[in-house]
Amino acid sequence: MSMYSPWTWGSGWRSCSQTGRLRDHDPYWRRAVSLSRRCEIANSIPDLDLFVSLHSNAAAGGGWSSAKGWSVYLYVPGGDRERAAQDILEQVRAAGIAVRSTPIVYDPELYVLKHTKAPAVLLENGFHTNREEAALLGQADYRQKLAVAEAKGILEYLGIPWVETEEETDYQAEARAAVDWLTENGIMQGNAEGDLMLDQPLTRRQFAVLEYRIAKLEGFV
């Protein structure tokens, strides 16, 4: 089993399936990557079972909007893509995540859906132009809930059982709380794609910036 996502955030995949991300297939993944390049990467993976593209939605026009809710976009109705969408939607609803009145949307003009050979779904994780959902998307626990629900749906589609992980250790809980606090207070920020790169080494310059931001927050500078 294999799955490719141009961008993945939140929960890790609890399965034995082969998964791929943009960073695993393109040495320049931190730069802006064209839609055609994303499709090329996906189409180069042998026996790819599913292509997943993760986004947040935006309403037309400027400013805040009342439009809200999770949705999934497909190229056209039917086939394995429809089954994948239904499986993911079922788990998202089961998690108590608000979905749009028409949660499955068909759009034959979306590039990555049109030009990917494998079954492809594009997930819109709510609207960042809605105040309520923008606030939710800023919360690590909510993003984790979204990621877990979508991962469960993907595994259901792939025919792989979901396996719960063990309770997190005190250290893991403290580390998660620390990351949440640092990001919520604007001290630790990700790259242009929002990746915090938590497993990457820290340079002295980066460390100095973090210390300076904490000092500013505490009113020392």
Side-chain angles (χ1 to χ4, degrees), residues 2 32 74 85 97 106 109 118 136 150 170 193:
S2 59
L74 302 178
I97 295 165
Y106 306 104
E109 298 306 316
L136 285 173
E150 291 169 354
D170 291 342
E193 287 77 23

Side-chain angles (χ1 to χ4, degrees), residues 1 14 43 52 71 75 83-84 121 133 135 137 142 181 202:
M1 296 290 183
R14 297 166 171 81
N43 293 337
V52 180
S71 59
Y75 178 53
R83 185 165 60 85
V121 297
E133 290 195 324
L137 290 169
Y142 181 75
W181 185 85
L202 187 69

Side-chain angles (χ1 to χ4, degrees), residues 12-186:
W13 306 111
R14 297 166 171 81
S15 74
C16 61
S17 65
Q18 174 190 350
T19 64
R21 294 180 295 180
L22 182 60
R23 70 181 68 179
D24 302 321
H25 296 273
D26 195 318
Y28 304 108
W29 69 271
R30 287 193 178 94
R31 304 178 186 177
V33 179
S34 69
L35 298 179
S36 61
R37 176 58 182 153
R38 298 177 193 192
C39 294
E40 288 173 7
I41 294 170
N43 293 337
S44 70
I45 301 174
D47 302 319
L48 186 66
D49 295 289
L50 185 64
F51 174 97
V52 180
S53 188
L54 302 178
H55 301 263
S56 60
N57 215 335
W64 296 107
S65 167
S66 61
K68 61 185 296 186
W70 183 96
S71 59
V72 53
Y73 282 71
L74 302 178
Y75 178 53
V76 291
D80 287 338
R81 68 176 75 88
E82 184 89 31
R83 185 165 60 85
Q86 292 287 356
D87 286 339
I88 299 170
L89 172 60
E90 180 180 354
Q91 293 297 329
V92 167
R93 279 179 163 153
I97 295 165
V99 304
R100 302 196 71 184
S101 56
T102 306
I104 298 182
V105 183
Y106 306 104
D107 189 340
E109 298 306 316
L110 289 178
Y111 191 95
V112 294
L113 301 182
K114 183 177 183 179
H115 295 280
T116 302
K117 296 176 182 178
V121 297
L122 187 150
L123 308 182
E124 293 283 9
N125 292 285
F127 281 76
H128 59 257
T129 50
N130 179 279
R131 286 185 185 273
E132 179 184 349
E133 290 195 324
L136 285 173
L137 290 169
Q139 300 173 11
D141 286 347
Y142 181 75
R143 295 195 302 273
Q144 179 74 1
K145 184 165 115 172
L146 271 170
V148 168
E150 291 169 354
K152 285 182 175 179
I154 290 168
L155 293 182
E156 178 70 23
Y157 165 73
L158 294 175
I160 299 172
W162 173 265
V163 179
E164 295 289 349
T165 57
E166 298 178 357
E167 292 291 328
E168 65 180 0
T169 64
D170 291 342
Y171 170 77
Q172 290 171 329
E174 186 177 27
R176 179 170 56 81
V179 170
D180 290 348
W181 185 85
L182 289 168
T183 53
E184 289 167 4
N185 286 281

